Amino acid sequence: MSMLPIMQMIYRWEAQVVRDDGSGGRICGHRERVEGLGEKLWDILVYYIIMPEVHYTPTTMDDLLQQLQYISEESLEDNNSVNAKKNALLAHPLKQALYSELVNIKRKTALSIRNQPDENGENPDLARLDNMLLVEHVIGPDPSHYPQSSTAGNASTDNTEYLQKLSEIRQDYHQKMTGYEMECSKFTEHVRKLLDVQGQVRPIAGHEIQRMVGICRKRLSRFQIQLKQNICEKIINLKTRMCDARRKRRNFSKQATQILNDYFHAHIGNPYPSEEVKEELARQCQITVSQVSNWFGNKRIRYKKNIAKAQEEAHFYAARRQAETFSDSQQALSAAAAAAAAGAMPMLNPYANPVANLGGNPLTSGADPTQFYSGLPTDLSDFKYFL
DNA sequence: TCTGATGATTAGCT
DNA sequence: AGCTAATCATCAGA
């Protein structure tokens, strides 16, 4: 605390006292603007002005500083001498005048300095969290009361499970928020009562108490933010879990697979549907365009792989047939294996060579005939994709 | 429970 | 951006 404002305040108040009670006394000419009043100002005034007879008046700056230090360190609680001072102060005829003056000065000086706009502004983090909680139906209307849509079975099951989990989170949130509000109210009420008591001996106006309660609530809102953050994290985890397609993979319906297979085999020469076609297929199959893209990606690569596998098997069996003409069966098997491994005899590849394909028997490969021969192209140019 | 099928994801390529 | 190839995670039938 700076000394100059305190001295100015003392002089100012002394002048006020002289005017109010007309009893004369020291009148000081210092009426300069008072700035930066501290919380102990009231005690200082009590010591030096209201009860000057029980305290010696400091004559030097060092004496005054020493006295101020003493006052600052003295507790206002459970102290007989302090209580005596409080009582003397409350009974003093000038108490009200002094009180009003100090409240007025505090409002003009200290409060105006501390009353920054950000103290009253809404916390952006809290607003963001509240917004998310509103969007996710944790606050506001309960989504579990909404009528269920009659979508496909899997989606409906997922939705029900999601709503159930969300309802649990919602319940947890409201329970914790109720507890928070209760604790918050209890604490702010305690602060309010404390300030009311302090207000009897210190210049604390009603609006200051309100402001202090607001500050308390603001400080306590950190717990509220923490709570809301935890709830938001829970929702994000829930959504991640529910939306993780790998965990909740569902096979497409038979009808959807049929539609996709029909298109694939009908366009086996160039199984790359355009974006428009993908959208149409997605609509027909009731899946997303991405799923259509995935399906075609998987289909193409697996189709190719199966061809390679069929080719390998064809090589093996062809080689074995050829080897059967040998007398040594061991030699035959070795020859077949070597032929298959080397990918020899491409003539037997039903897809690498369309002419051979048309003459071969796909069933000997052991592959799924519907996989390989459904919608088999008749025009040789259709094979360009696999050549 | 095992195993092949299948949808989704990812890195790398063009 | 779209594709391939490898891989993962899950489904579903034996």
Side-chain angles (χ1 to χ4, degrees):
Chain A
M1 184 192 303
S2 167
M3 286 308 301
L4 182 62
I6 297 166
M7 294 304 292
Q8 288 171 342
M9 180 59 218
I10 291 169
Y11 294 146
R12 179 191 171 97
W13 188 82
E14 281 183 327
Q16 182 74 37
V17 168
V18 170
R19 275 205 311 277
D20 286 350
D21 69 359
S23 62
R26 292 177 298 166
I27 299 177
C28 300
H30 296 74
R31 287 295 195 95
E32 295 169 23
R33 187 166 172 268
V34 179
E35 292 179 338
L37 292 178
E39 292 294 328
K40 291 288 182 182
L41 181 59
W42 182 264
D43 303 298
I44 295 163
L45 293 168
V46 169
Y47 265 73
Y48 295 112
I49 297 166
I50 296 180
M51 304 195 314
E53 69 282 2
V54 295
H55 297 282
Y56 85 103
T57 304
T59 53
T60 67
M61 189 62 84
D62 285 343
D63 288 340
L64 186 58
L65 279 171
Q66 208 169 5
Q67 283 296 319
L68 284 171
Q69 181 69 23
Y70 171 70
I71 296 162
S72 300
E73 289 171 357
E74 193 175 63
S75 169
L76 291 176
E77 307 295 332
D78 303 323
N79 185 313
N80 287 336
S81 69
V82 169
N83 285 334
K85 287 173 202 165
K86 282 182 185 175
N87 292 333
L89 172 65
L90 289 173
H92 198 282
L94 287 176
K95 187 256 178 182
Q96 202 53 48
L98 178 62
Y99 191 99
S100 307
E101 177 69 5
L102 287 174
V103 167
N104 191 33
I105 291 169
K106 275 184 80 175
R107 186 167 50 240
K108 286 180 183 168
T109 56
L111 281 182
S112 66
I113 293 165
R114 283 189 286 172
N115 195 19
Q116 298 299 321
D118 62 334
E119 286 190 12
N120 297 323
E122 195 172 331
N123 188 321
D125 288 338
L126 196 57
R128 186 173 48 80
L129 290 168
D130 277 338
N131 190 41
M132 179 175 173
L133 292 172
L134 189 65
V135 169
E136 299 298 341
H137 305 290
V138 175
I139 53 180
D142 189 346
S144 61
H145 296 154
Y146 296 164
Q148 295 286 313
S149 60
S150 57
T151 50
N154 290 337
S156 181
T157 306
D158 289 349
N159 196 39
T160 307
E161 193 180 338
Y162 175 76
L163 288 176
Q164 189 186 340
K165 299 272 184 195
L166 184 66
S167 179
E168 288 171 17
I169 292 174
R170 188 184 157 92
Q171 206 173 343
D172 183 37
Y173 168 78
H174 286 289
Q175 195 176 348
K176 284 179 175 164
M177 274 306 284
T178 305
Y180 163 79
E181 289 292 351
M182 276 175 64
E183 290 301 318
C184 200
S185 298
K186 259 179 15 186
F187 183 78
T188 51
E189 191 56 31
H190 173 72
V191 169
R192 192 194 302 275
K193 282 180 181 169
L194 200 65
L195 290 173
D196 276 341
V197 173
Q198 291 260 321
Q200 292 177 353
V201 291
R202 286 193 171 170
I204 303 172
H207 71 273
E208 284 185 79
I209 295 176
Q210 288 300 323
R211 182 173 168 276
M212 188 53 73
V213 167
I215 289 170
C216 287
R217 291 195 76 91
K218 192 176 171 65
R219 293 282 168 90
L220 288 169
S221 74
R222 280 186 298 183
F223 297 103
Q224 191 186 6
I225 290 172
Q226 186 67 46
L227 169 63
K228 287 181 177 178
Q229 263 175 350
N230 288 344
I231 296 294
C232 286
E233 278 171 19
K234 277 186 182 178
I235 292 170
I236 289 167
N237 288 340
L238 174 66
K239 291 186 100 170
T240 305
R241 209 168 63 244
M242 298 303 288
C243 297
D244 191 341
R246 276 187 172 178
R247 292 178 194 276
K248 283 281 174 189
R249 190 178 68 76
R250 294 272 187 272
N251 288 351
F252 296 158
S253 68
K254 281 199 169 113
Q255 195 186 1
T257 308
Q258 184 65 48
I259 291 168
L260 294 168
N261 268 315
D262 283 349
Y263 184 92
F264 182 82
H265 291 295
H267 301 81
I268 194 71
N270 184 32
Y272 295 88
S274 66
E275 204 59 30
E276 290 75 20
V277 172
K278 281 180 188 173
E279 283 171 12
E280 176 59 21
L281 287 170
R283 193 190 58 76
Q284 287 181 20
C285 300
Q286 293 189 306
I287 57 178
T288 66
V289 174
S290 296
Q291 285 177 306
V292 173
S293 297
N294 285 337
W295 189 91
F296 273 91
N298 284 324
K299 188 71 180 177
R300 281 191 296 265
I301 190 68
R302 282 164 186 164
Y303 193 83
K304 265 189 175 179
K305 271 187 177 176
N306 279 336
I307 289 168
K309 193 178 168 186
Q311 179 182 345
E312 201 173 286
E313 285 183 8
H315 291 159
F316 180 83
Y317 287 110
R320 193 159 94 164
R321 275 200 303 277
Q322 197 178 30
E324 276 172 1
T325 60
F326 299 163
S327 57
D328 188 347
S329 62
Q330 197 67 33
Q331 187 186 356
L333 285 172
S334 300
M345 305 177 75
M347 291 288 286
L348 292 176
N349 174 6
Y351 293 95
N353 187 332
V355 177
N357 166 50
L358 295 174
N361 179 7
L363 297 177
T364 58
S365 71
D368 177 11
T370 61
Q371 180 91 345
F372 286 154
Y373 299 101
S374 164
L376 194 67
T378 52
D379 188 341
L380 297 186
S381 65
D382 286 345
F383 286 93
K384 60 181 181 292
Y385 160 65
F386 295 106
L387 291 175

